[in-house]
Amino acid sequence: MLLIASLVLLGTQLMVNGERHSLIYTYSALSKPVDLPGIHEFTAMGLLDDRPIDYYDSETKVKVPKQPWMKERLKQDYWDKGTQSRRSKQQWFKVNIDILMKRMRQNDTDVHVLQWMHGCEGDVQPDGSLKFVNGMDMYNYDGDDFLSFDDANGVWIASVEAALPTKRKWDGVQVLKEYTQGYLESECVKWLKEFMECRQQQLKEVCKYDKK
């Protein structure tokens, strides 16, 4: 009973053959600050199996762990590099919201939102390895689908006319398509497996402690 309670409290899972797991990163940027508690001009969050594992916002400007095992297992260098990456993405979003507003002939009276979600899903194999199943890389603007990457065919899909210039530009950059596919199918899966192992290792230690 104590072991079951520990599993629930930690939100951990054993790696069982056939199980599907996911690692997703979400980013959200506003065209200008809003005076509302808890709403930031830019936020970024990592999700392992739909549970937050890291977080960054434009107020604190530091990437921080959201799970104890993330804090305990990953070195400070990981968080320092992650913070720099999030700060760079914050600037990228600011520039691109301005571009989209001008493209759509929008003024700065209203608040506009640009969101990005990317990540992967993998199935646990009999030998314990993780097999890539799905990859996702998609953008949303003001609540509507904007642009997404077709991983199977290696092309960008424009959901609205305003996204066509970006689609044409990005489709013309072969290295970008190769990088996106490589991240989704390889690097993302590698991090997914590593995070799952870190989480499972903590579970083993808790189980060992519970048996004493």
Side-chain angles (χ1 to χ4, degrees):
M1 181 63 70
L2 184 56
L3 172 58
I4 294 175
S6 298
L7 286 169
V8 173
L9 289 172
L10 288 171
T12 52
Q13 300 176 354
L14 289 169
M15 287 188 283
V16 179
N17 179 32
E19 279 190 349
R20 181 162 298 184
H21 297 273
S22 64
L23 175 63
I24 306 294
Y25 289 95
T26 64
Y27 303 80
S28 182
L30 307 180
S31 59
K32 62 180 181 180
V34 295
D35 188 20
L36 293 172
I39 304 299
H40 305 285
E41 191 173 356
F42 178 81
T43 58
M45 182 180 295
L47 301 165
L48 176 65
D49 292 332
D50 298 323
R51 292 181 178 272
I53 57 173
D54 62 56
Y55 176 80
Y56 172 98
D57 65 51
S58 51
E59 182 175 345
T60 60
K61 296 184 179 181
V62 177
K63 181 179 178 179
V64 296
K66 298 299 287 184
Q67 296 291 335
W69 55 266
M70 286 286 286
K71 181 178 181 179
E72 295 169 3
R73 300 288 173 181
L74 299 174
K75 297 180 180 180
Q76 185 59 43
D77 183 59
Y78 171 86
W79 300 106
D80 292 341
K81 290 180 178 179
T83 293
Q84 292 303 315
S85 175
R86 295 296 184 267
R87 289 177 180 176
S88 295
K89 286 183 172 63
Q90 181 179 341
Q91 291 302 313
W92 183 92
F93 271 83
K94 184 175 183 61
V95 169
N96 281 275
I97 286 182
D98 289 341
I99 291 173
L100 291 178
M101 289 175 61
K102 291 176 182 177
R103 184 183 298 174
M104 298 180 183
R105 296 180 173 83
Q106 297 171 329
N107 57 43
D108 60 0
T109 302
D110 298 322
V111 177
H112 299 281
V113 185
L114 177 60
Q115 296 171 300
W116 178 34
M117 180 176 73
H118 72 104
C120 58
E121 292 181 329
D123 283 345
V124 178
Q125 302 300 294
D127 63 357
S129 64
L130 198 64
K131 180 181 178 182
F132 171 80
V133 177
N134 293 309
M136 62 202 75
D137 194 315
M138 57 189 69
Y139 294 83
N140 180 291
Y141 186 70
D142 282 349
D144 296 321
D145 292 341
F146 184 78
L147 190 70
S148 61
F149 186 69
D150 181 350
D151 184 55
N153 297 296
V155 295
W156 292 91
I157 306 298
S159 299
V160 294
E161 185 176 352
L164 287 174
T166 304
K167 167 189 163 52
R168 287 191 288 264
K169 180 179 179 180
W170 289 7
D171 275 343
V173 183
Q174 184 63 27
V175 67
L176 175 60
K177 293 191 289 185
E178 292 175 355
Y179 172 80
T180 303
Q181 283 185 307
Y183 174 81
L184 297 177
E185 298 177 7
S186 180
E187 185 176 353
C188 181
V189 176
K190 181 194 75 173
W191 281 111
L192 172 57
K193 181 73 178 333
E194 182 167 337
F195 291 154
M196 289 169 58
E197 289 175 347
C198 287
R199 181 178 62 182
Q200 186 174 4
Q201 184 61 38
Q202 184 193 51
L203 173 60
K204 290 180 179 178
E205 292 179 356
V206 170
C207 292
K208 181 178 179 181
Y209 175 80
D210 286 341
K211 292 177 181 178
K212 289 183 179 181

